[in-house]
Amino acid sequence: MQNGVLAGRTALVTGSVQGIGLAIAKSLAAEGARIGVHGLASAEQAAAAVAEIQDAGAPDARFFDADMRDPDAIDAMMEAVEHWGGVDILVNNAGIQKTGSIAELTRETWDMILAVNLSAAFFTMRRALPKMAERGYGRVVNIASVHGLVASKDKSPYVASKFGLVGMSRVAALEYASVGSREAGGVTVNCICPGWTETAIIEPQITARGEQLGVGRPEAIASLLAEKQPSLRTSRPDEIGQAIVWLASPIAHNITGISLPIDGGWTAQ
């Protein structure tokens, strides 16, 4: 967009020191938003992410450190962001995954994935949404997954957390739907549900598939995606970011409670 549509707004993007979260933060920064950066990172990694986001156009960026498994740490982070100026745009992107059958996965794995992927979003939203309502403008975008809409084997805690995130977002959308006005922007809550996305996380799978078939990277990607994603194309992280810029823009005041798949037709099957 590059129109400065988010100038004067402050965004907090969890899990934004790399991957999709960093791309989202840079997309919001390019539209003039201040960015609260968050993630598990060394001081050097955090500083590098902040610098990259400022270079993308953020008038200000600050790193916030919170363990998303810990509700008290999340409360402390949200308090610090409120003192910094308050959250106008909240993007819950932090997430983890571990695969395994229901019989194999441990209670500790279940608790950890649900805590980071679902409960953490509840704890950020419960602090951010009332303040957004007071201001008459707010945007919550929760990064769910295609697995918030359809299931796959060996991902029970991940799928449960993402289905839960979609459901919780719909409840919040209803609770805040009448807040504000077209002129103020209103308060909306939506989900993005990505399918296969071009991040470092999937590189080992691409490499392994290429070696298995004896083919190059494009052919390996097409083979990998053929199992689920009809387009046979991955999405770029910045494409996810641009979708969030649109949802955060004033024009999207009446778009709330949706779960937007960016999945190359996966969930259309």
Side-chain angles (χ1 to χ4, degrees):
M1 289 186 181
Q2 299 291 333
N3 294 318
V5 295
L6 302 179
R9 305 296 189 188
T10 298
L12 171 64
V13 184
T14 67
S16 52
V17 294
Q18 62 182 351
I20 292 175
L22 178 58
I24 291 168
K26 289 168 67 176
S27 294
L28 296 170
E31 295 299 332
R34 297 195 313 157
I35 306 295
V37 186
H38 163 270
L40 295 175
S42 67
E44 293 77 14
Q45 291 170 325
V50 167
E52 194 170 339
I53 290 164
Q54 288 175 324
D55 288 345
D60 192 9
R62 175 178 167 184
F63 180 73
F64 294 89
D65 185 12
D67 184 338
M68 301 308 278
R69 298 169 297 179
D70 182 353
D72 290 336
I74 294 169
D75 274 345
M77 176 179 69
M78 298 306 292
E79 187 72 25
V81 176
E82 190 60 35
H83 287 311
W84 190 47
V87 180
D88 299 304
I89 302 160
L90 170 64
V91 182
N92 282 304
N93 170 72
I96 55 174
Q97 181 180 180
K98 183 175 181 180
T99 59
S101 71
I102 289 175
E104 294 168 337
L105 291 170
T106 64
R107 183 173 69 183
E108 289 74 21
T109 297
W110 172 271
D111 289 344
M112 180 173 62
I113 292 175
L114 268 290
V116 174
N117 294 3
L118 177 58
S119 297
F122 171 78
F123 291 121
T124 59
M125 289 165 64
R126 68 183 289 272
R127 292 294 299 262
L129 280 165
K131 298 293 185 180
M132 291 176 178
E134 290 176 9
R135 291 188 281 267
Y137 167 87
R139 298 288 188 267
V140 177
V141 183
N142 292 322
I143 306 304
S145 167
V146 68
H147 284 114
L149 303 172
V150 296
S152 292
K153 294 190 297 182
D154 299 327
K155 295 180 180 178
S156 54
Y158 185 78
V159 169
S161 69
K162 296 301 186 177
F163 265 75
L165 188 59
V166 167
M168 180 173 66
S169 300
R170 291 176 180 174
V171 171
L174 293 173
E175 290 182 359
Y176 286 87
S178 64
V179 169
S181 63
R182 180 186 291 109
E183 292 73 24
V187 176
T188 68
V189 183
N190 294 294
C191 285
I192 299 285
C193 298
W196 287 99
T197 305
E198 197 88 5
T199 64
I201 293 173
I202 70 167
E203 284 302 320
Q205 296 175 73
I206 295 171
T207 301
R209 184 61 61 97
E211 291 173 352
Q212 176 189 351
L213 299 177
V215 298
R217 191 171 186 278
E219 294 80 8
I221 291 172
S223 172
L224 195 63
L225 270 60
E227 299 169 6
K228 298 286 187 180
Q229 194 151 309
S231 70
L232 304 183
R233 300 187 301 272
T234 57
S235 299
R236 296 195 313 266
D238 64 290
E239 295 166 3
I240 310 297
Q242 287 302 310
I244 292 173
V245 167
W246 179 69
L247 287 173
S249 301
I251 198 171
H253 68 94
N254 238 359
I255 299 169
T256 194
I258 71 165
S259 300
L260 177 64
I262 303 179
D263 66 356
W266 185 333
T267 54
Q269 299 176 97

